């Protein structure tokens, strides 16, 4: 399974403008195996082939990298399986992340994945609903599979600290929710997709001192 996964990553990464070395590929393959092993119990992702996981989950997650400056810290809201944050941390050693996940069982998985993938010191887990905790000081907030995503988007926009951009993976329902909220955003059509986007929502400026 790992060989199939790595082969897909290597053959499709050029379409995503992403370059990965052998160590990163190995760690991404380890991540894939970990998710598949735990997903049978926790339903972390829908059943999928190695190709679907590689393209839909990993490579699409890595499109966020182009919008994260060197040394950025991000909050991954509704982290679930650790998407998009864990692939991004594997691909960029300069990044740090706080993974916010309401499900206790999924939070246990995330802590196990952070340990297994040698990401301790660069990633933490907050086991709480995002709206019930204070937002950490971050440069970006990512969100890919939050339950009732479009419905919860106004709360997520309010929760995001000033100075932090939002990087949201989604489709037309997220576009419509952003439009209803009156937020400026740039949609980036994801490679090898006709309907999925990375929506980049600029940061609200910090208040003048």
């Amino acid at each position: 399974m790992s060989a199939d996964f790595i082969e897909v990553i290597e053959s499709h990464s050029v379409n995503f403008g992403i370059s990965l070395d052998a160590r990163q590929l190995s760690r991404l393959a380890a991540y894939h195996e970990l998710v598949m092993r735990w997903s049978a119990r926790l339903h972390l992702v829908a059943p999928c082939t190695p190709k679907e996981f590689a393209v839909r989950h990993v490579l699409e997650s890595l499109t966020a990298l182009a919008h994260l400056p060197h040394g950025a810290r991000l909050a991954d809201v509704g982290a679930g399986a650790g998407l998009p944050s864990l692939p991004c941390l594997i691909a960029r050693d300069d990044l740090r992340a706080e993974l916010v996940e309401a499900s206790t069982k999924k939070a246990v998985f995330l802590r196990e994945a952070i340990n297994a993938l040698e990401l301790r010191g660069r990633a933490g887990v907050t086991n709480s609903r995002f709206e019930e905790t204070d937002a950490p000081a971050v440069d970006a907030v990512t969100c890919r599979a939050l339950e009732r995503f479009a419905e919860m988007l106004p709360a997520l926009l309010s929760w995001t600290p000033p100075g932090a951009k939002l990087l949201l993976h989604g489709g037309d329902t997220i576009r419509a929710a952003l439009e209803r909220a009156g937020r400026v955003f740039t949609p980036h059509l994801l490679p090898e997709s006709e309907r999925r986007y990375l929506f980049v929502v600029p940061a609200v400026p910090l208040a003048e001192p």
Side-chain angles (χ1 to χ4, degrees):
M1 184 177 290
S2 292
D4 293 341
F5 171 84
I6 290 174
E7 182 180 353
V8 173
I9 291 282
E10 289 182 315
S11 62
H12 290 258
S13 59
V14 64
N15 296 338
F16 287 78
I18 293 165
S19 178
L20 299 162
D21 62 28
R23 180 172 179 269
Q24 292 164 335
L25 288 168
S26 176
R27 293 171 76 194
L28 287 171
Y31 169 64
H32 170 233
E33 292 182 354
L34 196 63
V35 171
M36 292 298 102
R37 190 161 65 248
W38 282 67
S39 197
R41 288 176 287 153
L42 301 185
H43 307 290
L44 296 171
V45 296
C48 58
T49 65
K51 177 180 179 179
E52 290 168 336
F53 190 88
V55 174
R56 178 76 181 266
H57 295 303
V58 172
L59 288 173
E60 287 192 2
S61 290
L62 293 178
T63 58
L65 292 176
H67 307 279
L68 294 171
H70 182 82
R73 186 179 184 204
L74 58 131
D76 186 2
V77 175
L83 298 162
S85 54
L86 294 185
C88 289
L89 290 173
I90 289 171
R92 290 259 304 272
D93 289 341
D94 61 289
L95 300 177
R96 294 176 295 153
E98 187 65 24
L99 284 64
V100 182
E101 173 52 52
S103 165
T104 298
K105 291 181 179 180
K106 291 179 180 178
V108 170
F109 162 77
L110 291 171
R111 293 189 179 102
E112 174 65 21
I114 287 167
N115 288 333
L117 299 169
E118 302 177 357
L119 297 174
R120 291 184 303 274
R122 294 201 292 123
V125 178
T126 297
N127 181 201
S128 175
R129 295 177 62 88
F130 75 88
E131 65 271 30
E132 296 174 357
T133 188
D134 292 334
V138 293
D139 303 289
V141 171
T142 65
C143 190
R144 188 172 181 272
L146 183 67
E147 187 176 354
R148 307 191 335 269
F149 194 173
E151 179 183 336
M152 296 301 296
L153 185 58
L156 181 62
L157 293 170
S158 297
W159 181 84
T160 299
K165 69 177 70 172
L166 286 105
L167 304 174
L168 310 175
H169 288 85
D172 289 337
T173 57
I174 301 303
R175 181 199 294 270
L178 286 168
E179 290 172 346
R180 287 194 299 271
R183 291 297 296 268
V184 173
F185 63 91
T186 303
H188 297 272
L189 182 65
L190 294 169
E192 304 186 23
S193 172
E194 295 181 356
R195 297 182 178 179
R196 293 190 302 278
Y197 296 84
L198 173 63
F199 297 101
V200 180
V201 185
V204 173
L206 296 168
E208 292 292 336

